[in-house]
């Protein structure tokens, strides 16, 4: 699929320092961004083995856009911006509710029925259908947020554009991310997990599973885990380091506390 497009993007990527960028090159980059906007290509995909991998040609197209596109005034009526990537504006047909001053950049996809409280969705990102990206939450470039996920106020879902082969942050389906949490460095939150408010996850954050003899892992929150911020003592017991603690796996109480009032929808 998209063979010609992939070939053009790869060619421009390999030769952009020496070649003149043609109208056809511009068109290939623009077409890729349009496919991203429609949700027809993604910057990372989940393999049958459950591993998420970056789609390198798509990420290259996103980077090339920045290389070959000058900034220009973006007129939005009473508001004006100055940027290289236009904003998305036509939401009606997808049933997306957009609270101003939400910014969703062209080249990202937002699924049906999502409520976008004033938030920021960057280029290359993919957000599945409903329910909500809450106030001042950010979805970074190429980040993937699954179906029915809920990002509460101020959540930061980190983007990873470079290096090209690096997988972006992945939030699988039915995940709840509590207020002011931050997930970065290509970490993966598996299906249905719950991060309590103020949880910070980087590739170096120790994840301690109290349900499995305090086993320590990195980079991936297991499906259905309920994670809270905590700490773990150093090997020599001289200090403690921030860690995420898996207290339990999701139960009815968790479901009740993370449910969204349908009246607000
Ligand atoms: C994670 C959360 C949903 C609680 O889930 P729950 O299944 O009801 O969790 P429980 O109350 O059964 O707690 C389980 C354990 O985790 C601990 N815990 C729960 N939430 C915690 C938190 N936020 N910080 C630290 N520890 C927490 C409890 O103390 C308990 O520990 P224990 O087993 O040692 O007694 C809730 O804490 C939370 O973060 N809600 C989101 C709040 C939010 O973001 N609101 C939106 C504002 S915009």
């Amino acid at each position: 699929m998209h063979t010609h497009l992939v070939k053009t993007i790869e060619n421009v990527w390999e030769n952009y320092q020496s070649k003149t960028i043609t109208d056809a090159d511009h068109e290939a980059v623009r077409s890729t961004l349009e496919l991203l906007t429609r949700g027809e290509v993604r910057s990372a995909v989940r393999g049958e083995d459950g591993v998420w991998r970056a789609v390198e040609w798509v990420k290259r197209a996103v980077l090339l856009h920045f290389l070959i596109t000058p900034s220009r005034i973006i007129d939005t009526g009473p508001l004006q911006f100055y940027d290289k990537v236009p904003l998305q504006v036509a939401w009606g047909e997808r049933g997306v509710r957009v609270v101003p001053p939400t910014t969703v950049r062209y080249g990202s996809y937002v699924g049906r029925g999502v409520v976008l409280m004033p938030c920021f969705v960057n280029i290359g990102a993919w957000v599945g259908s409903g329910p909500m990206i809450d106030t001042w939450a950010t979805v970074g470039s190429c980040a993937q947020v699954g179906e029915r996920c809920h990002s509460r106020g101020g959540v930061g879902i980190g983007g990873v554009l470079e290096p090209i082969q690096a997988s972006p942050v992945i939030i699988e389906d039915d995940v709840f991310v509590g207020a002011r949490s931050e997930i970065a460095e290509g970490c993966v939150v598996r299906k249905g997990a719950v991060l309590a408010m103020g949880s910070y996850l980087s590739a170096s954050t120790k994840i301690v599973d109290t349900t499995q003899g305090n086993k320590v892992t990195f980079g991936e929150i297991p499906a259905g885990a309920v994670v809270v911020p905590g700490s773990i003592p150093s090997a020599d017991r001289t200090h403690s380091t921030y860690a995420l603690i898996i207290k339990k796996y999701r139960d009815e109480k968790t479901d009740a506390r993370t449910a969204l009032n349908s009246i607000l929808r």
Side-chain angles (χ1 to χ4, degrees), residues 11 17 20 60 62 67 99 123 129 136-137 148 152 156 159 195 210-211 213:
N11 180 265
Q17 274 162 331
T20 306
R60 286 189 179 118
V62 172
L67 185 79
V99 178
I123 191 167
S129 59
W136 307 136
R148 299 169 300 278
R152 297 306 320 241
L195 272 63
T210 60
T211 72

Side-chain angles (χ1 to χ4, degrees), residues 13-254:
W13 180 257
E14 273 158 37
N15 302 304
Y16 69 82
Q17 274 162 331
S18 53
K19 96 190 267 304
T20 306
I21 305 294
T22 64
D23 286 350
D25 298 336
H26 276 281
E27 183 52 28
V29 171
R30 201 204 59 75
S31 297
T32 310
L33 262 56
E34 178 61 23
L35 289 169
L36 274 165
T37 303
R38 295 207 304 257
E40 290 175 23
V41 298
R42 293 174 66 164
S43 38
V45 289
R46 190 179 192 267
E48 286 187 2
D49 54 3
V51 176
W52 285 84
R53 293 182 181 85
V55 181
E56 296 185 12
W57 74 271
V58 172
K59 290 183 73 180
R60 286 189 179 118
V62 172
L63 284 172
L64 283 170
H65 172 82
F66 286 93
L67 185 79
I68 67 178
T69 311
S71 287
R72 56 178 161 253
I73 288 172
I74 300 166
D75 215 331
T76 59
L79 292 172
Q80 263 194 355
F81 300 88
Y82 181 67
D83 192 14
K84 294 176 180 237
V85 184
L87 301 176
Q88 292 194 41
V89 282
W91 295 110
E93 72 271 18
R94 275 196 227 153
V96 174
R97 188 144 68 81
V98 188
V99 178
T102 290
T103 299
V104 181
R105 293 175 106 192
Y106 187 68
S108 63
Y109 171 78
V110 177
R112 178 163 287 282
V114 180
V115 176
L116 298 169
M117 294 305 282
C119 63
F120 180 78
V121 181
N122 209 344
I123 191 167
W126 193 96
V127 179
S129 59
M132 184 182 274
I133 307 292
D134 213 336
T135 308
W136 307 136
T138 55
V139 183
S141 49
C142 299
Q144 306 288 302
V145 179
E147 306 284 348
R148 299 169 300 278
C149 287
H150 192 168
S151 289
R152 297 306 320 241
V155 162
I157 297 171
V160 180
L161 255 180
E162 294 176 282
I164 285 293
Q165 69 279 8
S167 184
V169 169
I170 306 289
I171 311 292
E172 290 192 346
D173 297 347
D174 303 300
V175 166
F176 176 93
V177 187
R180 309 286 156 186
S181 298
E182 187 84 29
I183 303 146
E185 296 188 321
C187 291
V188 179
V189 182
R190 293 288 182 186
K191 187 174 165 57
V194 172
L195 272 63
M197 47 194 289
S199 299
Y200 297 98
L201 177 62
S202 76
S204 301
T205 308
K206 291 189 169 96
I207 302 163
V208 182
D209 193 339
T210 60
T211 72
Q212 291 195 47
N214 293 333
K215 188 171 115 185
V216 174
T217 56
F218 296 89
E220 186 169 316
I221 304 292
V226 176
V227 173
V228 305
S231 63
I232 184 170
S234 63
D236 63 5
R237 305 261 151 185
T238 59
H239 62 279
S240 291
T241 311
Y242 177 85
L244 284 178
I245 315 293
I246 299 177
K247 280 292 201 175
K248 62 179 186 180
Y249 282 73
R250 199 173 177 134
D251 57 24
E252 280 174 12
K253 182 163 172 277
T254 323

